[in-house]
Amino acid sequence: MQITEVKHYEEMSKKASELIINRIKQMPKTVLGLATGSTPEGMYKELVQAHKNGEISFSNTTTYNLDEYIGLPSEDKNSYRFYMNDRLFHHIDIPLEQTNVPNGMASDLTKECKVYDESIRQSGGIDLQVLGIGVNGHIGFNEPGTSFETGTHVVQLAPSTIHANARFFASEEDVPKQAITMGIQSIMKSKEIILLISGAKKADAVFQLLHGEVSEIFPASILQNHQNVHLIADEAALSKVKENGMRSLR
Ligand code: F6R
């Protein structure tokens, strides 16, 4: 795992956007895997700005989002489709039909999961996947205990995830209890991964990610087995690792 330490959230966002821009410049047909949540918001702002400055076109790029809540229509401001349109897609030149977010309103969710995996496969697979991490080590919505062998599937959200995400909803009761997520297997098939982590509340998770055993109890630990992960983390997120002596895993 390649580790880049940055000072703060803004630097993490800038660095991540630069990596994505360079990648798309090298390969305009890049298939991007994207995340939602607080962590990548700054990165999306940087990408929108770069596009507005004429620095980058996304017209040949295809995107696949990691996850979506079940039961929220795309117009709901808490759906991840709404988030992606609002933070990125509506401000860049990517045709919306090249953007993919699992459909949490599908009547047949099992079929939706299969179709999503098949679509990723037909696109040639994800070239560059952006990930955040939950305080409990989840990636996508693969909660602790999820098998490492899963493709896209339906999950029950962990109480800690519902609690963490309640900040976006009127109350904790309003947070959907289920979601569709790309599986660990889908994520591990990505050719390259950028993992973004910011803030002291993630310091324990970063420590476990780098120093813990590879175990389904802490889903992100599987990233130790991926050949091309670039962790970009700020000082606060790396604080516990640094207390214990930073080491690179590769
Ligand atoms: C979101 C996702 C999640 C988040 C994680 C961290 O699409 O897949 O795994 O990356 O919950 O969320 P934030 O960034 O809000 O701390």
Side-chain angles (χ1 to χ4, degrees):
M1 192 176 298
Q2 186 189 342
I3 303 171
T4 299
E5 180 182 0
V6 291
K7 275 213 151 345
H8 41 56
Y9 180 82
E10 288 71 24
E11 201 182 333
M12 176 195 77
S13 305
K14 182 86 187 147
K15 183 100 206 149
S17 71
E18 283 167 3
L19 288 176
I20 291 177
I21 289 167
N22 286 340
R23 168 55 85 152
I24 294 174
K25 280 185 176 162
Q26 280 164 4
M27 199 173 81
K29 288 194 171 171
T30 296
V31 178
L32 284 177
L34 297 175
T36 57
S38 303
T39 308
E41 286 199 284
M43 179 191 81
Y44 292 138
K45 280 196 183 129
E46 294 284 349
L47 291 175
V48 168
Q49 196 51 53
H51 174 67
K52 289 198 165 133
N53 295 345
E55 220 183 296
I56 186 75
S57 166
F58 294 86
S59 59
N60 291 308
T61 306
T62 301
T63 66
Y64 287 91
N65 264 78
L66 282 166
D67 41 20
E68 177 61 286
Y69 289 118
I70 289 176
L72 296 189
S74 55
E75 321 77 71
D76 189 305
K77 71 174 182 32
N78 281 310
S79 76
Y80 287 168
R81 166 49 82 176
F82 186 96
Y83 171 114
M84 288 309 304
N85 287 348
D86 184 56
R87 308 311 200 273
L88 185 66
F89 301 148
H90 283 169
H91 310 287
I92 58 174
D93 60 346
I94 190 166
L96 270 189
E97 49 289 5
Q98 283 162 221
T99 69
N100 299 276
V101 181
N103 177 9
M105 296 297 284
S107 53
D108 185 341
L109 292 167
T110 310
K111 185 168 164 210
E112 171 64 18
C113 294
K114 280 206 181 105
V115 167
Y116 204 69
D117 278 340
E118 183 53 23
S119 171
I120 295 174
R121 203 185 60 75
Q122 282 186 3
S123 75
I126 290 169
D127 295 305
L128 180 58
Q129 174 69 56
V130 177
L131 290 180
I133 187 173
V135 286
N136 64 1
H138 74 214
I139 45 177
F141 273 140
N142 295 284
E143 300 287 19
T146 307
S147 158
F148 285 156
E149 304 308 320
T150 50
T152 301
H153 64 291
V154 171
V155 286
Q156 306 293 326
L157 298 181
S160 64
T161 301
I162 292 173
H163 182 68
N165 290 2
R167 66 192 192 279
F168 300 110
F169 292 81
S171 76
E172 198 159 318
E173 287 70 55
D174 293 332
V175 183
K177 309 289 177 283
Q178 289 185 307
I180 297 182
T181 183
M182 270 188 211
I184 297 286
Q185 205 182 56
S186 330
I187 294 170
M188 289 298 281
K189 278 186 194 158
S190 313
K191 295 169 191 110
E192 185 179 353
I193 293 174
I194 302 177
L195 173 58
L196 303 179
I197 314 185
S198 170
K201 68 177 188 299
K202 301 275 175 78
D204 283 333
V206 181
F207 184 79
Q208 201 160 341
L209 166 77
L210 297 179
H211 293 281
E213 279 179 15
V214 176
S215 152
E216 289 170 357
I217 305 293
F218 193 82
S221 61
I222 190 73
L223 298 175
Q224 293 181 22
N225 292 345
H226 192 286
Q227 291 310 301
N228 199 2
V229 179
H230 189 162
L231 166 64
I232 307 173
D234 63 15
E235 279 176 3
L238 283 167
S239 54
K240 186 163 177 187
V241 173
K242 284 168 73 181
E243 265 167 40
N244 291 272
M246 190 152 159
R247 67 170 179 170
S248 167
L249 295 173
R250 211 173 57 167

Short mmCIF file of all heavy atoms in Angstrom, two decimals, residues 34-40 66-67 80 131-134 138-141 165 167-168 201-202, ligand 1:
data_model
loop_
_atom_site.label_atom_id
_atom_site.label_comp_id
_atom_site.label_asym_id
_atom_site.label_seq_id
_atom_site.Cartn_x
_atom_site.Cartn_y
_atom_site.Cartn_z
N LEU A 34 -16.85 5.21 -7.87
CA LEU A 34 -16.98 6.41 -7.04
C LEU A 34 -17.69 6.12 -5.72
O LEU A 34 -18.50 5.21 -5.62
CB LEU A 34 -17.75 7.48 -7.81
CG LEU A 34 -17.04 7.98 -9.08
CD1 LEU A 34 -17.94 8.96 -9.83
CD2 LEU A 34 -15.69 8.61 -8.77
N ALA A 35 -17.38 6.96 -4.74
CA ALA A 35 -17.98 6.84 -3.41
C ALA A 35 -18.76 8.11 -3.10
O ALA A 35 -18.57 9.15 -3.74
CB ALA A 35 -16.86 6.66 -2.38
N THR A 36 -19.61 8.02 -2.10
CA THR A 36 -20.33 9.21 -1.61
C THR A 36 -19.86 9.49 -0.18
O THR A 36 -18.78 9.08 0.20
CB THR A 36 -21.85 8.98 -1.66
OG1 THR A 36 -22.14 7.81 -0.88
CG2 THR A 36 -22.34 8.77 -3.08
N GLY A 37 -20.67 10.18 0.61
CA GLY A 37 -20.29 10.51 1.99
C GLY A 37 -19.54 11.83 2.04
O GLY A 37 -19.38 12.52 1.03
N SER A 38 -19.07 12.17 3.23
CA SER A 38 -18.40 13.47 3.43
C SER A 38 -17.01 13.48 2.81
O SER A 38 -16.56 14.51 2.30
CB SER A 38 -18.23 13.76 4.92
OG SER A 38 -19.45 13.72 5.56
N THR A 39 -16.33 12.34 2.86
CA THR A 39 -14.91 12.32 2.49
C THR A 39 -14.64 12.81 1.06
O THR A 39 -13.76 13.66 0.87
CB THR A 39 -14.33 10.91 2.71
OG1 THR A 39 -14.64 10.51 4.04
CG2 THR A 39 -12.83 10.89 2.49
N PRO A 40 -15.35 12.32 0.02
CA PRO A 40 -14.98 12.74 -1.33
C PRO A 40 -15.57 14.07 -1.79
O PRO A 40 -15.33 14.49 -2.92
CB PRO A 40 -15.49 11.58 -2.20
CG PRO A 40 -16.60 10.98 -1.44
CD PRO A 40 -16.38 11.26 0.02
N LEU A 66 -20.40 2.97 -5.69
CA LEU A 66 -20.29 1.81 -4.81
C LEU A 66 -21.63 1.33 -4.29
O LEU A 66 -21.84 0.13 -4.12
CB LEU A 66 -19.47 2.19 -3.56
CG LEU A 66 -17.97 2.26 -3.70
CD1 LEU A 66 -17.40 2.98 -2.47
CD2 LEU A 66 -17.40 0.85 -3.80
N ASP A 67 -22.52 2.27 -4.00
CA ASP A 67 -23.68 1.84 -3.21
C ASP A 67 -24.86 2.81 -3.34
O ASP A 67 -24.72 3.92 -3.86
CB ASP A 67 -23.29 1.63 -1.74
CG ASP A 67 -22.35 2.71 -1.21
OD1 ASP A 67 -22.29 3.79 -1.81
OD2 ASP A 67 -21.69 2.45 -0.20
N TYR A 80 -28.06 8.39 -3.07
CA TYR A 80 -26.71 8.60 -3.59
C TYR A 80 -26.74 9.02 -5.07
O TYR A 80 -25.82 9.66 -5.54
CB TYR A 80 -25.86 7.35 -3.35
CG TYR A 80 -25.48 7.17 -1.88
CD1 TYR A 80 -24.93 5.98 -1.42
CD2 TYR A 80 -25.66 8.20 -0.97
CE1 TYR A 80 -24.58 5.83 -0.09
CE2 TYR A 80 -25.31 8.07 0.37
CZ TYR A 80 -24.76 6.87 0.81
OH TYR A 80 -24.40 6.73 2.12
N LEU A 131 -12.36 5.15 -2.71
CA LEU A 131 -13.00 4.61 -1.52
C LEU A 131 -12.85 5.56 -0.33
O LEU A 131 -11.82 6.22 -0.18
CB LEU A 131 -12.33 3.30 -1.08
CG LEU A 131 -12.49 2.04 -1.90
CD1 LEU A 131 -11.71 0.90 -1.22
CD2 LEU A 131 -13.95 1.65 -2.07
N GLY A 132 -13.88 5.55 0.53
CA GLY A 132 -13.75 6.09 1.87
C GLY A 132 -13.80 4.88 2.80
O GLY A 132 -13.88 3.73 2.35
N ILE A 133 -13.77 5.13 4.08
CA ILE A 133 -13.84 4.01 5.04
C ILE A 133 -14.76 4.42 6.19
O ILE A 133 -14.77 5.59 6.61
CB ILE A 133 -12.42 3.67 5.56
CG1 ILE A 133 -12.42 2.41 6.43
CG2 ILE A 133 -11.82 4.82 6.34
CD1 ILE A 133 -11.01 1.94 6.83
N GLY A 134 -15.56 3.48 6.67
CA GLY A 134 -16.40 3.74 7.84
C GLY A 134 -15.58 3.55 9.11
O GLY A 134 -14.54 2.88 9.10
N HIS A 138 -15.93 -0.46 7.38
CA HIS A 138 -16.67 -0.84 6.16
C HIS A 138 -16.11 -0.10 4.94
O HIS A 138 -15.60 1.01 5.06
CB HIS A 138 -18.19 -0.68 6.31
CG HIS A 138 -18.72 0.72 6.29
ND1 HIS A 138 -19.82 1.11 7.03
CD2 HIS A 138 -18.34 1.83 5.61
CE1 HIS A 138 -20.08 2.38 6.78
NE2 HIS A 138 -19.19 2.83 5.94
N ILE A 139 -16.20 -0.75 3.80
CA ILE A 139 -15.91 -0.10 2.53
C ILE A 139 -17.12 -0.38 1.64
O ILE A 139 -17.65 -1.48 1.65
CB ILE A 139 -14.57 -0.56 1.87
CG1 ILE A 139 -14.40 -2.08 1.91
CG2 ILE A 139 -13.39 0.15 2.51
CD1 ILE A 139 -13.14 -2.58 1.21
N GLY A 140 -17.53 0.64 0.85
CA GLY A 140 -18.87 0.55 0.29
C GLY A 140 -19.77 0.40 1.51
O GLY A 140 -19.53 1.01 2.56
N PHE A 141 -20.79 -0.43 1.42
CA PHE A 141 -21.58 -0.74 2.62
C PHE A 141 -21.33 -2.18 3.04
O PHE A 141 -22.22 -2.86 3.55
CB PHE A 141 -23.07 -0.48 2.38
CG PHE A 141 -23.50 0.93 2.65
CD1 PHE A 141 -24.41 1.56 1.82
CD2 PHE A 141 -23.04 1.63 3.76
CE1 PHE A 141 -24.84 2.86 2.06
CE2 PHE A 141 -23.45 2.93 4.02
CZ PHE A 141 -24.35 3.54 3.17
N ASN A 165 -24.60 7.97 9.70
CA ASN A 165 -25.21 8.64 8.54
C ASN A 165 -26.46 9.44 8.90
O ASN A 165 -27.01 10.15 8.04
CB ASN A 165 -25.54 7.61 7.46
CG ASN A 165 -24.25 7.08 6.82
OD1 ASN A 165 -23.16 7.46 7.21
ND2 ASN A 165 -24.38 6.21 5.84
N ARG A 167 -26.69 12.04 10.39
CA ARG A 167 -26.47 13.48 10.29
C ARG A 167 -27.06 14.08 9.00
O ARG A 167 -27.31 15.27 8.93
CB ARG A 167 -24.97 13.80 10.41
CG ARG A 167 -24.09 13.28 9.27
CD ARG A 167 -22.61 13.42 9.66
NE ARG A 167 -21.68 13.21 8.56
CZ ARG A 167 -21.28 12.02 8.12
NH1 ARG A 167 -21.78 10.91 8.65
NH2 ARG A 167 -20.40 11.94 7.13
N PHE A 168 -27.28 13.24 8.00
CA PHE A 168 -27.83 13.74 6.74
C PHE A 168 -29.37 13.73 6.74
O PHE A 168 -29.99 14.27 5.84
CB PHE A 168 -27.34 12.89 5.57
CG PHE A 168 -25.83 12.91 5.43
CD1 PHE A 168 -25.07 11.77 5.71
CD2 PHE A 168 -25.17 14.07 5.02
CE1 PHE A 168 -23.69 11.78 5.57
CE2 PHE A 168 -23.79 14.09 4.90
CZ PHE A 168 -23.05 12.94 5.18
N LYS A 201 -11.44 11.17 13.91
CA LYS A 201 -12.39 10.10 14.25
C LYS A 201 -12.12 8.82 13.45
O LYS A 201 -12.63 7.75 13.79
CB LYS A 201 -13.84 10.58 14.12
CG LYS A 201 -14.33 10.86 12.72
CD LYS A 201 -15.81 11.23 12.78
CE LYS A 201 -16.45 11.34 11.40
NZ LYS A 201 -15.85 12.37 10.53
N LYS A 202 -11.29 8.93 12.43
CA LYS A 202 -10.93 7.74 11.64
C LYS A 202 -9.56 7.18 12.05
O LYS A 202 -9.08 6.22 11.44
CB LYS A 202 -10.91 8.07 10.15
CG LYS A 202 -12.23 8.60 9.57
CD LYS A 202 -13.17 7.49 9.15
CE LYS A 202 -14.53 7.96 8.68
NZ LYS A 202 -14.57 8.47 7.34
C1 F6R B 1 -20.11 5.74 0.49
C2 F6R B 1 -19.42 4.58 1.03
C3 F6R B 1 -19.01 4.49 2.45
C4 F6R B 1 -18.28 5.74 2.94
C5 F6R B 1 -17.96 5.61 4.43
C6 F6R B 1 -17.31 6.87 4.97
O1 F6R B 1 -20.40 5.53 -0.87
O2 F6R B 1 -19.19 3.68 0.30
O3 F6R B 1 -18.21 3.36 2.64
O4 F6R B 1 -17.11 5.90 2.20
O5 F6R B 1 -19.12 5.37 5.15
O6 F6R B 1 -18.23 7.90 4.95
P1 F6R B 1 -17.80 9.39 5.24
O7 F6R B 1 -16.94 9.80 4.13
O8 F6R B 1 -19.09 10.17 5.26
O9 F6R B 1 -17.09 9.40 6.56
#
